[in-house]
Amino acid sequence: MSDIAIKIDNLSKVYRLYEKPIDRMKESLSISKKKYSKEHYALKNITFNVRKGESIGIIGKNGSGKSTLLKIITGVLTQSSGEIKVDGKIAALLELGAGFNPEYTGIENIYLNGTMMGYTKEEMEKRVNPIVEFADIGQFINQPVKTYSSGMFARLAFAVAINVEPEILIVDEALSVGDTRFQIKCIDKMKELKENGTTILFVSHATEQVKRFCNRAVWINNGEMMDIGESSEIIDKYESYMLYGGIIDSKINQETIVISEKDDEPLIRPKEDVLAKITEVNVDKTKLKTFDSVEISVKYEIYEQEISGFLIGVAIYTPNREYIFGPNTHLDKIDVPNKYGRHMIKYIIPSITLMGV
C-alpha cells in the first residue's frame, strides 16, 4: 500500500479572460476560431507529493494560487491539465460558510455536513456533542447560521471537520478570523490529529505557525511553485522575497550557533523544582541598523543529569516590545548541551535583515 496521500503531477489551471462580456460569445461563434481572450494561469505545472501523516504548509502572497490548489484537491474545481490522486477521506475548511446552508441552524448543518461526508444520521448523532462542545458558541448552535459572525462560522466549521475522522484535513486561512484562544485550541487539536496519522494541508499567512506546525512547506508565487522543502528554510526564503522583492543569498544570512561548555565549578541549585536556569544573556550591541551583524550569548545551568527535549530560544522585539521573531534550537534542528553543568551558546546573525523605520 502506497504511503502517498496526495500525488500532484504537472497540475495547471487556466482561466480565459475577456475584455468585454460579448467577446465570450464572439469567440464561441467564430468560424475562424479567432481568440478574443487571454489565458491566465492560476496554477502552472505544479508537482509534489504529500506523504500520509505529513503536515504541509502552503504559503504565498494573496492571489498566488493557494486556494485554487486546495479547491482542486478537494474536487471543488477541475484542473485544466495534469493529474491529481488523493488517497483518503478529506475534510476541508475552505471559504467561510462553504458547505453550510445559511437557513439551517448550526445543529442542522452538522447533520448536513455529515451526510455530505457519507455518514448516516445515527453515526452523526454520536459526533454531535463533541462538535457542539468544541465549537463553544452557546445557544447560537440552535440559530440559523446566517446570523453567525465570521468567528462563529469558523468555530463550527472547524469543529465539524475534525470530528468526522478525516484522513486528510485541509485548512485554508479559516483560523485567521478566530480569536487567539480559539487559534491555539485549533492548533493543539491539529497536532493531536497529526500525531494520530492525519495528513494536514495548512494555508496561513502566519508564517511562524507554519514553521512550528508543518514538516515541510510549499511556496507558490503567481501560480508557479517556487520551492518546496523543510518548513523553516522555505519560510525564511519566502519572507526575504516578500521584504526585498527577491531571494536573498541564504549563505549571507545564515544564522549560526556556537556552543561551549564549562563544568569546572560546583552548581548551586536555587530550588528543588528548578531543572535549569538561564544565568546571563549578553548582546554585543545596543543599537542596530539594517544588515548589521548581531551576536547574542546565553549562559545557562542544568541541574538534572539530563533534560530530554531541552531547547534554547531567542526572542527579538522592537523597543516598544513588539514581537519580531523568535528562533530556537528546536526549529533550527540544533543540538545543545542538555546534561548537568554550566553551558553557553552564542547565536550569531551575520546580517540582520530588518527594515528601517
Side-chain angles (χ1 to χ4, degrees):
M1 186 176 179
S2 173
D3 68 340
I4 301 298
I6 302 172
K7 182 178 178 62
I8 298 171
D9 185 18
N10 213 30
L11 191 74
S12 295
K13 179 64 177 178
V14 184
Y15 291 98
R16 297 190 180 279
L17 305 181
Y18 298 86
E19 289 188 6
K20 296 176 289 185
I22 196 171
D23 288 345
R24 187 183 298 272
M25 185 174 69
K26 286 181 179 179
E27 185 174 284
S28 63
L29 298 177
S30 175
I31 298 175
S32 62
K33 305 298 181 182
K34 181 179 177 180
K35 297 291 184 184
Y36 289 84
S37 61
K38 295 180 181 180
E39 290 187 340
H40 169 70
Y41 277 84
L43 294 173
K44 188 173 184 180
N45 303 328
I46 304 293
T47 299
F48 67 93
N49 294 333
V50 182
R51 294 185 296 274
K52 291 181 179 178
E54 187 176 26
S55 58
I56 293 278
I58 301 178
I59 60 172
K61 62 184 181 181
N62 290 333
S64 61
K66 305 185 301 296
S67 295
T68 301
L69 175 61
L70 296 188
K71 288 177 181 178
I72 293 175
I73 292 173
T74 56
V76 175
L77 294 177
T78 302
Q79 68 268 31
S80 301
S81 61
E83 294 185 359
I84 179 167
K85 295 180 181 179
V86 178
D87 183 10
K89 183 189 296 181
I90 295 179
L93 282 78
L94 301 176
E95 297 172 355
L96 282 178
F100 283 74
N101 186 323
E103 301 297 331
Y104 286 9
T105 66
I107 289 288
E108 290 170 335
N109 271 287
I110 291 173
Y111 283 102
L112 173 64
N113 274 260
T115 301
M116 294 167 62
M117 290 288 293
Y119 289 104
T120 65
K121 182 178 180 181
E122 290 72 23
E123 288 173 326
M124 284 306 297
E125 284 176 351
K126 301 175 183 177
R127 294 173 169 81
V128 168
N129 285 339
I131 291 172
V132 172
E133 183 179 342
F134 192 95
D136 192 22
I137 59 174
Q139 290 302 312
F140 279 95
I141 197 69
N142 296 309
Q143 301 302 315
V145 298
K146 66 182 179 182
T147 65
Y148 288 12
S149 67
S150 58
M152 292 165 66
F153 253 126
R155 285 174 174 270
L156 184 58
F158 188 85
V160 172
I162 62 173
N163 281 284
V164 292
E165 300 175 2
E167 294 170 296
I168 301 170
L169 176 64
I170 296 177
V171 182
D172 183 9
E173 280 296 331
L175 304 187
S176 62
V177 298
D179 55 48
T180 302
R181 179 175 171 271
F182 177 67
Q183 289 182 23
I184 294 172
K185 183 178 179 180
C186 292
I187 290 294
D188 288 343
K189 185 63 180 180
M190 288 196 295
K191 287 179 180 178
E192 181 183 325
L193 292 173
K194 177 182 172 184
E195 291 170 358
N196 291 330
T198 300
T199 304
I200 299 175
L201 269 66
F202 183 47
V203 172
S204 177
H205 288 294
T207 53
E208 279 297 316
Q209 285 185 351
V210 175
K211 187 181 287 190
R212 293 174 184 275
F213 177 71
C214 299
N215 306 110
R216 291 192 297 155
V218 177
W219 173 17
I220 298 176
N221 188 54
N222 295 330
E224 299 187 49
M225 192 170 81
M226 300 289 286
D227 209 346
I228 182 172
E230 196 273 327
S231 57
S232 293
E233 177 185 351
I234 301 303
I235 292 296
D236 289 345
K237 289 182 180 180
Y238 168 67
E239 290 183 335
S240 294
Y241 178 88
M242 292 301 290
L243 282 172
Y244 304 104
I247 302 173
I248 296 177
D249 188 347
S250 61
K251 292 181 180 179
I252 295 176
N253 293 284
Q254 184 63 50
E255 301 97 342
T256 59
I257 294 179
V258 179
I259 301 170
S260 66
E261 301 186 39
K262 182 180 179 182
D263 292 325
D264 55 352
E265 297 180 14
L267 300 182
I268 300 176
R269 189 169 194 157
K271 294 181 180 179
E272 187 62 32
D273 59 349
V274 175
L275 306 182
K277 178 183 177 182
I278 292 177
T279 58
E280 188 176 337
V281 177
N282 290 304
V283 183
D284 67 338
K285 56 193 68 173
T286 56
K287 294 184 179 180
L288 291 172
K289 299 189 297 293
T290 303
F291 303 122
D292 275 357
S293 64
V294 183
E295 293 188 8
I296 304 166
S297 62
V298 180
K299 295 181 180 180
Y300 61 97
E301 299 175 349
I302 292 182
Y303 307 112
E304 298 287 297
Q305 289 302 311
E306 184 174 358
I307 299 179
S308 178
F310 183 82
L311 63 86
I312 292 284
V314 175
I316 298 179
Y317 293 83
T318 68
N320 296 325
R321 294 297 294 174
E322 296 171 333
Y323 177 79
I324 299 175
F325 72 106
N328 67 53
T329 55
H330 171 70
L331 290 177
D332 292 330
K333 294 180 171 57
I334 301 292
D335 292 325
V336 294
N338 64 341
K339 297 182 180 179
Y340 179 88
R342 287 188 177 87
H343 312 283
M344 188 273 284
I345 66 168
K346 184 179 289 185
Y347 182 69
I348 303 171
I349 306 175
S351 178
I352 190 162
T353 52
L354 299 178
M355 297 181 69
V357 294

